[in-house]
Amino acid sequence: MRQVIIIGSGPAGFTAAIYAARANLEPLLIASSVEVGGELMNTTEVENFPGFPEGIQGPELMAKLQEQAEKFGTEVLYDDVVSLELDGPVKKVILGSGAEHEAASVIYATGSAYRKLGVEGEDRLSGHGVSWCATCDGFFFRERTIAVVGGGDSAMEEATFLTRFASKVYVIHRKDSLRASKIMQERAFANEKIEFVWNSEVEEILGEAETTGVRLRSTVDGSLSDLALDGLFIAIGNDPRTHLVHGKLDLTPEGTIWVDGRSSRTSQRGVFAAGDVIDPTYRQAITAAGTGTIAALDAEHFLADLADGAPLAEPAAV
Ligand code: NDP
């Protein structure tokens, strides 16, 4: 049986692994079979992670975090967790391959998943002009006309990045002002290839086999209009990935995993959570890394108390 299993391979998971490994806990980190590295794998230049004044590419930062975790003895497994048994002193982690791993503690750092618009055509045209990842799919839209939906940092980052390929990038936003940080807004406003479509919601994505455009509804007067496009990138935020722990861990009204105060302790003894899955507010790589640290330290203390045979505090009620 392991001392600790970490689920998730974003900044929270790998930082927890670095700390746990340096505490000689020999962590096993389940990194998923396809999406190793989390959200930063879909980003380009990361300019706000302390210690990198020149900026660093998201995937490169994740590769460095993994290297650092492995250097101290983290074992990384590329598989998907399909179910969890979290009650009782022995936690069980069941993987897609059928393998089952046991541990005295679990750090849950599964991050968040792209939000969908929930409109007609979205699922059908996904991969046929509809995408959630500019760095993955931008290349396919060389000299094409595309749009990005959203008004946050992700939408500005994607739109700016996509101008490397596309001849024209619309940003469709449901309000008349952006939520994105000032610097990202200014970069987008200054880009000649970007045109803003304000006060508009996507009502439907048009096209049979390939995306041909969107039907927009004005949030001011409800009027409908069509915009011809070759592709649509959806960047409207993320939702915490909690489906594996529904009914097993308490959640907050925002849908994130409940943790006890400033700790990473969840409602289940021996289970700790970190990163975007507990954070509805800040959701930065560096804050995820910070909560990963907290989770590793909390797990370390929990395991030390277990080894001492000390009575364990019950988590406080939600
Ligand atoms: P946000 O939640 O910040 O923004 C989501 C945007 O999508 C908002 O403008 C929102 O509109 C809009 N939206 C949400 N739902 C819908 C919908 N159903 N239809 C239409 N529009 C919708 O998410 P982000 O992914 O942009 O950012 C998440 C976090 O990651 C933030 O903290 C951000 O700062 C950070 N980030 C930082 C980056 C960087 O610094 N390099 C890069 C990318 C992200 P409304 O404004 O009306 O609510």
Side-chain angles (χ1 to χ4, degrees):
M1 183 170 86
R2 298 267 176 174
Q3 304 220 60
V4 57
I5 293 178
I6 298 163
I7 302 170
S9 56
F14 275 127
T15 305
I18 291 167
Y19 273 76
R22 291 191 75 255
N24 275 341
L25 298 178
E26 298 174 337
L28 174 68
L29 184 145
I30 316 286
S32 137
S33 59
V34 281
E35 288 182 60
V36 185
E39 284 285 283
L40 283 187
M41 300 304 282
N42 299 327
T43 200
T44 48
E45 191 85 359
V46 179
E47 294 175 325
N48 51 12
F49 201 92
F52 297 94
E54 312 299 332
I56 182 167
Q57 295 292 311
E60 193 188 342
L61 177 59
M62 290 320 302
K64 281 182 182 292
L65 287 179
Q66 177 163 354
E67 188 186 332
Q68 199 172 348
E70 288 181 324
K71 175 178 154 189
F72 294 112
T74 302
E75 185 185 343
V76 178
L77 237 175
Y78 302 96
D79 204 339
D80 300 306
V81 177
V82 291
S83 71
L84 291 166
E85 289 176 27
L86 298 175
D87 49 348
V90 179
K91 319 295 178 197
K92 284 192 184 155
V93 178
I94 297 110
L95 304 181
S97 61
E100 215 177 280
H101 295 269
E102 293 182 346
S105 69
V106 165
I107 294 175
Y108 196 77
T110 49
S112 53
Y114 299 128
R115 196 171 285 156
K116 288 184 165 188
L117 287 167
V119 298
E120 173 65 33
E122 186 176 28
D123 287 336
R124 180 167 39 90
L125 294 165
S126 166
H128 300 276
V130 174
S131 171
W132 282 261
C133 178
T135 45
C136 317
D137 299 328
F139 187 78
F140 301 119
F141 296 91
R142 219 166 258 281
E143 297 306 320
R144 301 291 186 85
T145 298
I146 58 182
V148 176
V149 193
D153 280 335
S154 298
M156 294 313 107
E157 185 177 70
E158 302 238 318
T160 306
F161 175 75
L162 287 165
T163 59
R164 292 188 196 180
F165 310 101
S167 51
K168 172 100 191 168
V169 179
Y170 292 101
V171 173
I172 301 167
H173 185 39
R174 60 189 179 183
K175 292 191 181 133
D176 63 1
S177 62
L178 300 169
R179 176 196 290 255
S181 56
K182 263 271 164 309
I183 188 169
M184 308 279 267
Q185 293 196 21
E186 280 165 10
R187 209 170 280 166
F189 288 143
N191 193 313
E192 287 175 355
K193 285 188 179 177
I194 297 179
E195 182 177 333
F196 284 81
V197 181
W198 300 108
N199 298 314
S200 300
E201 270 176 345
V202 176
E203 169 98 355
E204 184 182 343
I205 305 174
L206 307 172
E208 281 307 317
E210 295 295 328
T211 302
T212 58
V214 287
R215 180 151 302 148
L216 299 174
R217 177 183 290 276
S218 161
T219 53
V220 177
D221 59 16
S223 60
L224 296 176
S225 59
D226 288 357
L227 180 65
L229 297 171
D230 301 305
L232 182 72
F233 287 79
I234 300 168
I236 59 169
N238 301 271
D239 292 311
R241 273 205 197 92
T242 53
H243 62 281
L244 288 169
V245 296
H246 284 173
K248 296 176 181 168
L249 299 179
D250 288 346
L251 302 182
T252 66
E254 287 107 345
T256 50
I257 293 176
W258 176 86
V259 289
D260 187 8
R262 294 171 62 210
S263 81
S264 66
R265 290 189 299 272
T266 68
S267 55
Q268 191 61 250
R269 179 184 281 177
V271 180
F272 307 89
D276 279 7
V277 80
I278 64 165
D279 180 6
T281 316
Y282 302 106
R283 302 162 36 92
Q284 304 295 302
I286 190 68
T287 52
T291 56
T293 303
I294 292 171
L297 295 175
D298 285 345
E300 195 184 331
H301 292 148
F302 168 81
L303 292 164
D305 285 349
L306 266 190
D308 287 348
L312 297 164
E314 284 290 345
V318 181

